[in-house]
Amino acid sequence: MSQTQMKKKNPPQTEEHSSLKGALASVFLVGFFIIFTWVGVYFLFLDRL
């Protein structure tokens, strides 16, 4: 009988120094949008008093 050799798949290689600059920029953009919205609603509330 012949033996079949199973090839082991290498796990996907990840970079050791992955950059999170895009994630940080996205978080800041969403945060600024939320703050701007809250400030806008607050001033709208003050205007209608």
Side-chain angles (χ1 to χ4, degrees), residues 18-44:
S18 61
S19 175
L20 297 176
K21 290 180 183 178
L24 181 64
S26 300
V27 168
F28 274 122
L29 286 175
V30 171
F32 287 139
F33 176 74
I34 291 172
I35 291 171
F36 178 75
T37 304
W38 274 99
V39 169
V41 169
Y42 178 69
F43 282 123
L44 182 64

Side-chain angles (χ1 to χ4, degrees), residues 2-8:
S2 64
Q3 293 180 345
T4 57
Q5 295 180 351
M6 304 234 357
K7 293 184 179 180
K8 295 181 181 178

